[in-house]
Amino acid sequence: MKGMMKPLYLAAGLLLAAACARPASLADEALDYCVKKVTGVQERLGADYGESPRNIAPGDCRWNLTPVCQENWTMGFWPGILWYAYEASGNAALETAARGYTEALDFIARQPAYDHDIGFIMFPSFGNGFRLTGDPAYKEAVLATAERLAALFNPAVGTILSWPREVPNFGGHNTIMDNMLNLETLFWAAENGGDPAWKDIAITHADTTMRYNFRPDGTSYHVAVYDAETGAHKYSCTHQGYADDSMWARGQAWGIYGYTMVYRFTREPRFLEFAQKIADVYLARLPEDKVPYWDFCDPEIPNASKDASAAAVVASALLELSTYTDGKYRADAEAMLRSLYENYRAPEGCDSFLLHSTGHHPAGKEIDYSIVYADYYFIEALLRLKNL
Ligand code: GLY
């Protein structure tokens, strides 16, 4: 009898171990997938840091590369992906490549800003680089970037001029929703040795955008146009959305991410309340798979193209928002990431993490593409999920 107990104990122990063994979490499994992809792609790309991945057309598998210049607003995302993949893996080759692509952008901080996108270019690259390495040259580049960005601020209006080149087209000072993301550069720089006035600029921009880039129900306009002299609001409209009164998915995503981040730096309740309001209206209108159509009002829905990039931006934002709201929004964020990973993943052997993003639908550009910023916010969200 005694002798028979041992196999029974063993079997029970094995059963218990099997029951307790945690399957790889979504974050672990998807991060592993991302790191393997980036490592393979970067090995193929080599050490030419003069151009970097931008997009992949439907049916293709290899990144189209674009040259490093300020006019290419997506330049910071590939180095940002490399930094995140390095953070997730500790792979020294990824750090080397991240440094190479990041440092190739340094010249951008040394010239006047072409537009607000200087923040998108310099913060995912130098900001992440400084966070992970503490390299003082990277911090200095972010501070110089903030100074360039702050120079676009118009105090009469209370916002940054997002697109100087578009002033004649719009008939005034224009501020776009995407610009909310670039307040992070100003907030961070103000807290890290830069001019404290940059924080005031960022807060004023956020308040003005709240007033004129949103409707009372919390849905957003892409663009608000102002009189540059008097600061008077002239009108609000779309640029990349379906219509002036529609909800462009990535615009709403930038807003959710932006106001959550503004709350991180200010702890002002109005920003937290607003982030929740605009997140709630987005969540209430999502299709079942949690990945929006490119514009919530496209009459072609359900045959309209999706925008995985908006889903990735929102997933990342909601994970942060969940930390300010007792976990509210976390389940939504995880559901988005699971759906992206399970239903929008690019096939084995293809370069990107995700398929099915929409860049500029009205211009007929990048419809149903893989786009580098979708991958950037996807891997950022996975790291946020892992670290929660
Ligand atoms: N910032 C440009 C875009 O979201 O397409």
Side-chain angles (χ1 to χ4, degrees), residues 10-348:
L10 191 64
L14 284 173
L15 276 174
L16 197 64
C20 295
R22 287 176 34 188
S25 70
L26 169 66
D28 285 331
E29 188 181 325
L31 277 170
D32 189 51
Y33 158 81
C34 293
V35 168
K36 282 194 180 116
K37 278 218 169 176
V38 181
T39 306
V41 171
Q42 188 49 49
E43 272 170 17
R44 193 185 76 238
L45 293 178
D48 176 4
Y49 305 128
E51 45 183 21
S52 73
R54 162 73 188 227
N55 62 34
I56 303 174
D60 288 348
C61 257
R62 296 282 163 260
W63 285 118
N64 293 311
L65 308 179
T66 45
V68 167
C69 64
Q70 245 205 100
E71 289 80 354
N72 285 337
W73 76 279
T74 57
M75 283 291 108
F77 294 119
W78 184 249
I81 288 169
L82 289 166
W83 284 121
Y84 281 140
Y86 165 60
E87 181 176 4
S89 66
N91 179 340
L94 293 174
E95 184 194 3
T96 303
R99 281 185 176 276
Y101 282 100
T102 295
E103 289 164 23
L105 300 173
D106 184 77
F107 75 99
I108 290 171
R110 316 294 155 201
Q111 53 187 255
Y114 173 67
D115 63 19
H116 77 106
D117 286 328
I118 190 170
F120 275 119
I121 296 171
M122 303 299 274
F123 207 70
S125 52
F126 287 95
N128 279 314
F130 180 72
R131 185 174 60 81
L132 294 173
T133 68
D135 188 328
Y138 293 179
K139 178 176 171 178
E140 192 279 324
V142 177
L143 295 183
T145 298
E147 192 172 356
R148 301 295 184 188
L149 188 57
L152 295 176
F153 182 70
N154 178 330
V157 174
T159 64
I160 289 164
L161 173 59
S162 301
W163 287 329
R165 66 188 173 283
E166 295 290 347
V167 167
N169 285 344
F170 286 113
H173 173 107
N174 57 76
T175 298
I176 64 168
M177 183 58 65
D178 329 25
N179 201 147
M180 284 300 301
L181 272 274
N182 297 322
L183 303 184
E184 189 168 7
T185 302
L186 295 177
F187 279 122
W188 188 92
E191 278 188 3
N192 287 275
D195 186 343
W198 295 339
K199 180 172 181 176
D200 302 330
I201 288 176
I203 292 173
T204 305
H205 180 110
D207 277 322
T208 310
T209 298
M210 194 190 279
R211 201 154 163 212
Y212 295 116
N213 282 73
F214 289 90
R215 306 174 189 98
D217 66 357
T219 61
S220 54
Y221 295 103
H222 190 187
V223 190
V225 180
Y226 306 87
D227 183 309
E229 303 300 321
T230 66
H233 174 246
K234 293 175 122 182
Y235 65 99
S236 298
C237 62
T238 197
H239 182 67
Q240 280 169 252
Y242 174 73
D244 290 343
D245 59 357
S246 71
M247 178 160 71
W248 174 46
R250 199 165 53 259
Q252 194 75 12
W254 293 139
I256 297 165
Y257 193 112
Y259 283 96
T260 302
M261 174 271 297
V262 172
Y263 178 70
R264 183 201 317 156
F265 285 102
T266 62
R267 300 290 155 167
E268 290 282 350
R270 70 181 181 283
F271 293 127
L272 180 58
E273 279 162 27
F274 196 66
Q276 292 185 76
K277 176 178 175 171
I278 62 180
D280 290 345
V281 71
Y282 173 97
L283 290 171
R285 297 196 193 176
L286 275 183
E288 211 171 314
D289 73 354
K290 306 281 182 197
V291 175
Y293 294 95
W294 73 280
D295 190 300
F296 284 78
C297 305
D298 184 344
E300 295 297 317
I301 291 172
N303 299 316
S305 57
K306 289 291 196 90
D307 187 7
S309 76
V313 170
V314 172
S316 187
L318 294 188
L319 287 171
E320 178 173 5
L321 192 54
S322 76
T323 66
Y324 309 136
T325 54
D326 291 329
K328 193 180 168 198
Y329 301 108
R330 179 172 170 161
D332 285 311
E334 285 196 51
M336 289 169 198
L337 290 175
R338 184 165 295 287
S339 180
L340 287 171
Y341 183 61
E342 290 178 356
N343 308 320
Y344 290 76
R345 197 161 75 206
E348 199 71 32

